[in-house]
Each structure stands twice: as C-alpha cells, then as structure tokens.
Amino acid sequence: MKETIYIRNARLIDPMGGEDRSVSVLVRDGRIASIETEIPGGHSADETADRVIDATGWLLFPGFADPHVHFRDPGFTEKEDLMTGAAAAAHGGFTTVIMMGNTRPHPDTPGRIADVLARARKTGIRIHTCGNVTYEMAGRELTDFAALKEAGAVLLSDDGLPVLDEDLMEKACTEAAAVGLPISLHEEDPQFIGQAGIHDGAVAAQMGLRGASRESEISMVRRDIGLAERTGAVLTVQHISAKESVELIRQARARGVRIHAEATPHHFTLTEEAVLKHGSNARMNPPLREKEDRLAIIQGIADGTIDMIATDHAPHTREEKAVEFSKAPSGIIGLETALSLVHRELVQSGIMTWREAASRLTKAYEVYGLPGGRVTEGAEADLVLFAPGETWIPNDETLRSKARNTPFLGEKLPGVVKLTVCRGSIVHEDRKAEKEA
Ligand SMILES: [Zn+2]
C-alpha cells in the first residue's frame, strides 16, 4: 500500500495549468486526492496522513521530464544503469526521462525496446526510450518505425550521431510523419569537426587543437528545418550550442515549421573557457562555445524558441575521463545539477519566472505525448518539492549517479530538491525534508 502524504503550505507552480499559489496537497493511493488553497494562519493538517511535510518556503512542481538521457543500459553499465540513472533523475526532480539509443545492443528492434522498458518499470520513475532511426545507428538502413512505436518507443533518434545521408533522412521524416513519431536530432556534421568536444575557438587554438566549428551544427540545422518543412515531420534539434542555430529555429517556428529545440544546463551556464579549468569534464558534443552563444541560448529559452531543457546526462567512468583531453569520451552528467543551474542562471538572474522555467522542464510531456506533467486533483501524483533558499554541493556523498564527470563537482549550488514523488511513492527525499508538522 502506498503512503498517504500531506504537503502543507507549498507554492504550487503548474506551468501547464497556469497555477502559482500557496496550497496544501494530499496524496493518497498514488493520486492527488485534494489540492486546497492555503489560508494564511489556518491549520488544516490531515491527521490521518502517514507523512505530513511542512513545505513553507518551498516550491511544488509537477515532476519534470528530461527528453534526453543516457542510462548506458544495456551494454555500458559500468558507467550507469537503469537503477542508478533513475536515482539520479529522482534526485534532480525528474520523474520522467527519455533514454537515447547508443547502448549495446541498440533499441532498434521491438524486442530490444520491450526488454529495456520491462526492466525500466522496476525503477520507480517513468523511463521511456527512443527507438533508433537506423539499424545500429549506422546511418544506412531505416528501422521499422511502426513496429518500434508499437513496442513503446516515444521518439526516434540516432543521438550521438547525425544522419548524414539527406535522402535517407528525408525518407525517415516522411515515414516518421506517417507513423506519428517525432525525430530527435544530433546536429553535428563531422566534416566541420577537427577535435570533437571542444569549440573551434580561442581555447582550442591555445591548446593547439582544431575544434568543432559552429558550422557543423548550423549546416545540419538548416538542412533539417528544410526537411521538416517539406515532409511535415515533427523534429527536435537536440542540445543547441550555436547562436546561429537559435536564430534559424526562431525564424522556422515563426513560419509555422513544426520544429522543437533543446538546450542543456551546461550550454546555458558555461563557455569554452570551462575546458581550461575542468579539462575532460567540460568536453561534450556539441561543445561549449562562446559568451554570445550562451546568451543567445538563454534568450532562446526565454522567448520559447528553445522549448525544452534537456540534460543530455552522459555518464562515463572516472578512468575514462582521467586521460588527456583528446582521448577522453565526450559528455557529462546533468540530471542532478540541472534544477540548481536553472535556478541560478535563469531565475535568480531575473531572466524568467519559475513558471516559464518550469514550462521548459515539462514541455517534453506535450511534445512526445507522455503521461504526467500536471498537478491536478485525480492525477497520478508525480511531484517535486524544491527549497530555493538552501544550497548543496555535488560530491561523492550527494550524487546518486555512478559517474562523477561534471564540471560542477565540488561547487556550492543554490536550491535543493527536498522530495520527489512518482506515482504517489517517494522516490527521493532529502534527509532534512521531514519537519515537525
Ligand atoms: Zn547528442
């Protein structure tokens, strides 16, 4: 039987419902049994609840959705697995994630998708998966989109690699549109990349490297906006890194093209300079770029051009990252630090309200048609309580991921996830969450 949880005096921010008010919420039998507007000075604690949580000063959100994580399972479970990935998600306030498909084996057949989803159901959070666009992500032969959808894939992606063959990509778009699956795209053309994972700018030059130029992304984004326009497919441009890409998508959306875009917390927080300080823990594809790119991404998130914040949570072992920059794998973990970075860079900085920020952290529910994302009476209880006034430090004691590859390791970050509830069960709790009722 599930616990009855009574949350008192929380500030409810439900971006899809437009709520921003002080409430008390009762969770019973996995669902939100009631939401009452809190009366200042009033006392309405439910005496029958197993847990009574005083959330004064805390924010209450629907569980967030991250449309872009790498849980490395199956195949690379020394980096992460479904259980540790789910724990990291819950710690970060995410109750829903979509896994990318660069696993071994790949999710390119219905059986493989069914297998990973069956195991994912035991984690406590809602784990979805992509299906691959091409077999083995080799960019040669399209998978059976209808069969992958039937098996449970919620989007198509070869993330990690672009689909370079334009004719094949056009065929993929046409079929995806017919089947009704969005395609999520890693936009980096290798012909414009020397050393991957570092921007072809001042820092790369200083290190004697030719990095990944902005043209590698811009050229692919331009091509795929055209494909979305011609085929009617719903496309997502993943982890935008260049200011020109933001502008291309802004113009496309203004013309009515059905294109979505993600930005990661690291791309709106850091620039290429981070490589000098953090080495391989600041190496990712696409790379961190310049201040103007970072500011354009923030502007794009603010005006809705970039409608989803995605972490691109990409765990690697310490050994893999503890080598010279050019030999280390690309990618950093991001699920656990995302909300603190949204808080610091987007909300505390005065750029957007919590309601706007939360909308970018829940938009994936709408784009990919996933259950969840609302705090309403009768809905399954997927909730996050966040204390904006507290701080924490990512380290061995606090992080739930198997991996430690983050440039934010050891840095004091604002805002603590106090409680994460998925389907009415507590899946993460900060030790200090329970106060005297
Ligand atoms: Zn990617």
Side-chain angles (χ1 to χ4, degrees):
M1 220 188 76
K2 301 207 179 199
E3 278 185 301
T4 307
I5 307 164
Y6 191 68
I7 299 166
R8 289 179 53 202
N9 204 25
R11 182 180 154 204
L12 171 62
I13 297 169
D14 178 10
M16 283 199 251
E19 298 277 4
D20 187 344
R21 62 185 168 120
S22 197
V23 297
S24 291
V25 172
L26 180 66
V27 175
R28 193 169 48 211
D29 299 328
R31 292 186 179 273
I32 297 170
S34 70
I35 303 173
E36 293 170 12
T37 300
E38 189 77 29
I39 303 149
H43 185 74
S44 54
D46 189 305
E47 303 293 335
T48 65
D50 302 315
R51 297 289 306 274
V52 178
I53 293 166
D54 178 2
T56 304
W58 297 352
L59 309 178
L60 174 64
F61 299 101
F64 296 121
D66 185 348
H68 190 147
V69 303
H70 299 269
F71 281 178
R72 310 299 193 198
D73 188 349
F76 305 96
T77 51
E78 70 282 6
K79 300 171 193 262
E80 195 81 289
D81 60 43
L82 295 179
M83 294 306 290
T84 56
H91 182 212
F94 294 90
T95 53
T96 289
V97 298
I98 304 174
M99 295 191 297
M100 293 296 110
N102 51 352
T103 49
R104 287 277 147 68
H106 294 274
D108 54 5
T109 66
R112 289 169 177 180
I113 286 173
D115 169 68
V116 78
L117 290 178
R119 293 188 298 114
R121 274 191 280 279
K122 296 170 188 147
T123 61
I125 69 159
R126 300 175 195 266
I127 297 182
H128 302 276
T129 184
C130 73
N132 287 136
V133 179
T134 63
Y135 284 105
E136 303 275 313
M137 288 176 45
R140 285 192 292 270
E141 189 190 348
L142 298 184
T143 58
D144 184 343
F145 295 175
L148 299 188
K149 185 183 185 186
E150 177 73 25
V154 297
L155 60 83
L156 297 164
S157 185
D158 279 359
D159 174 52
L161 298 171
V163 179
L164 286 172
D165 181 335
E166 184 168 356
D167 291 339
L168 188 70
M169 189 59 203
E170 176 145 8
K171 197 170 162 234
C173 287
T174 304
E175 285 187 19
V179 168
L181 276 179
I183 306 182
S184 190
L185 295 156
H186 184 118
E187 305 286 52
E188 283 193 296
D189 185 336
Q191 70 170 301
F192 300 105
I193 298 175
Q195 169 64 57
I198 184 167
H199 174 57
D200 191 27
V203 173
Q206 201 177 317
M207 292 167 69
L209 299 169
R210 186 173 79 83
S213 88
R214 56 181 65 250
E215 192 55 30
S216 68
E217 179 175 280
I218 301 163
S219 57
M220 296 291 290
V221 170
R222 193 179 283 120
R223 182 197 78 173
D224 291 334
I225 287 171
L227 287 176
E229 229 160 356
R230 290 206 294 281
T231 63
V234 177
L235 300 185
T236 293
V237 172
Q238 299 181 326
H239 40 50
I240 283 202
S241 69
K243 62 181 191 288
E244 294 87 350
S245 311
V246 180
E247 188 52 33
L248 284 169
I249 290 164
R250 182 177 288 120
Q251 290 167 10
R253 286 173 68 99
R255 293 198 301 276
V257 181
R258 295 202 297 169
I259 196 147
H260 301 277
E262 300 170 351
T264 70
H266 44 275
H267 285 111
F268 68 64
T269 301
L270 301 172
T271 63
E272 59 179 343
E273 302 283 324
V275 174
L276 294 173
K277 192 172 174 196
H278 301 287
S280 66
N281 278 341
R283 177 182 165 158
M284 70 280 295
N285 303 335
L288 301 168
R289 298 195 191 274
E290 299 173 28
K291 186 179 169 204
E292 283 188 5
D293 298 294
R294 176 178 164 261
L295 295 177
I297 289 166
I298 290 174
Q299 185 52 43
I301 299 170
D303 69 20
T305 298
I306 296 169
D307 49 358
M308 291 181 280
I309 291 170
T311 68
D312 192 9
H313 181 81
H316 294 292
T317 66
R318 291 170 185 76
E319 295 71 29
E320 287 170 307
K321 280 288 197 180
V323 295
E324 70 178 275
F325 186 87
S326 63
K327 295 198 172 73
S330 291
I332 63 169
I333 55 170
L335 280 164
E336 298 175 80
T337 49
L339 201 50
S340 288
L341 297 174
V342 167
H343 181 31
R344 188 177 77 190
E345 304 296 325
L346 305 182
V347 181
Q348 281 186 323
S349 61
I351 287 159
M352 62 185 75
T353 62
W354 264 120
R355 209 180 128 191
E356 290 164 331
S359 120
R360 312 302 184 259
L361 289 158
T362 51
K363 182 74 177 180
Y365 288 112
E366 191 186 317
V367 172
Y368 301 115
L370 310 176
R374 292 296 311 278
V375 181
T376 50
E377 288 181 1
E380 280 196 288
D382 291 5
L383 304 168
V384 182
L385 274 175
F386 182 70
E390 298 184 17
T391 59
W392 72 291
I393 297 172
N395 55 33
D396 282 340
E397 214 171 289
T398 54
L399 291 171
R400 303 290 192 274
S401 170
K402 274 186 192 176
R404 297 291 178 267
N405 53 314
T406 165
F408 305 106
L409 201 68
E411 183 176 336
K412 190 192 273 188
L413 298 177
V416 170
V417 174
K418 305 301 290 187
L419 188 79
T420 307
V421 174
C422 188
R423 295 192 182 94
S425 295
I426 295 172
V427 289
H428 170 78
E429 184 169 18
D430 185 68
R431 280 190 293 275
K432 300 182 291 293
E434 198 171 10
K435 295 183 193 169
E436 285 303 308

